[in-house]
Amino acid sequence: GTIEISREANFDTTLGFYKIIDTNGSVVDQITGSIITTDNEDYLKHALDENNKVNFGPGHESSTFYVDDNEDKMFNINVNDHSLIAPFANVISDSGIQKTYFAFGSINGTSHFKVFGDNYLGFEDSEGGGDKDFDDVLLHMKIDNINIT
């Protein structure tokens, strides 16, 4: 498949994906096997553990995607290792402060991601939801085929 990313925002944003085990965003502690829920104070550490990040195959082995401001970019991907994934974003503001936002509002205090349609996501990069237009970074994922083994 492909992921197309468009960015129109001053803040530097890197989007990525990590593995979740339920629709509430719970993840697995890779050392103990414990379930870590979104209200756990160490959620970020466990969610973004290298073993929880999604590998997008030989064409894009990183779990993250970056596009310069006012640009669009297409990435070729393969998702082979998990059925439930969720987005996250690392944002560096103009003042150099870095924040990580997740799709689950309970972690951030407010949602920073919005679904605009099948496989279309919008992202709001400002703390607290900013102007809530969710168009600072746009992502479109196109799935070419599904192989069930």
Side-chain angles (χ1 to χ4, degrees):
T2 58
I3 288 183
E4 181 179 9
I5 308 271
S6 302
R7 178 175 151 220
E8 188 176 310
N10 291 331
F11 295 168
D12 280 339
T13 301
T14 301
L15 292 180
F17 291 87
Y18 66 105
K19 303 170 198 174
I20 58 175
I21 59 168
D22 58 36
T23 57
N24 295 317
S26 301
V27 297
V28 174
D29 178 327
Q30 296 296 314
I31 296 171
T32 68
S34 299
I35 307 275
I36 306 297
T37 58
T38 57
D39 60 353
N40 186 299
E41 65 184 28
D42 291 327
Y43 183 82
L44 185 144
K45 177 180 107 177
H46 294 289
L48 301 186
D49 180 280
E50 284 303 313
N51 292 316
N52 269 345
K53 290 183 179 177
V54 175
N55 180 320
F56 286 100
H60 192 84
E61 293 182 18
S62 171
S63 68
T64 59
F65 303 89
Y66 178 83
V67 174
D68 287 323
D69 191 20
N70 294 313
E71 290 198 14
D72 300 326
K73 191 169 183 182
M74 190 85 67
F75 300 90
N76 292 317
I77 61 161
N78 290 310
V79 179
N80 297 317
D81 61 350
H82 211 271
S83 60
L84 289 177
I85 62 175
F88 71 92
N90 288 320
V91 178
I92 301 175
S93 70
D94 290 337
S95 61
I97 296 171
Q98 182 173 338
K99 296 278 187 175
T100 300
Y101 298 112
F102 294 91
F104 304 96
S106 60
I107 304 165
N108 315 309
T110 188
S111 181
H112 284 263
F113 289 90
K114 182 176 183 177
V115 176
F116 286 117
D118 290 344
N119 300 321
Y120 283 92
L121 288 175
F123 175 71
E124 177 56 52
D125 66 359
S126 297
E127 188 168 4
D131 58 9
K132 295 184 171 63
D133 59 8
F134 297 93
D135 69 352
D136 299 318
V137 180
L138 298 171
L139 177 144
H140 175 227
M141 184 180 288
K142 181 180 175 196
I143 301 168
D144 292 333
N145 60 52
I146 298 173
N147 295 321
I148 300 173
T149 55

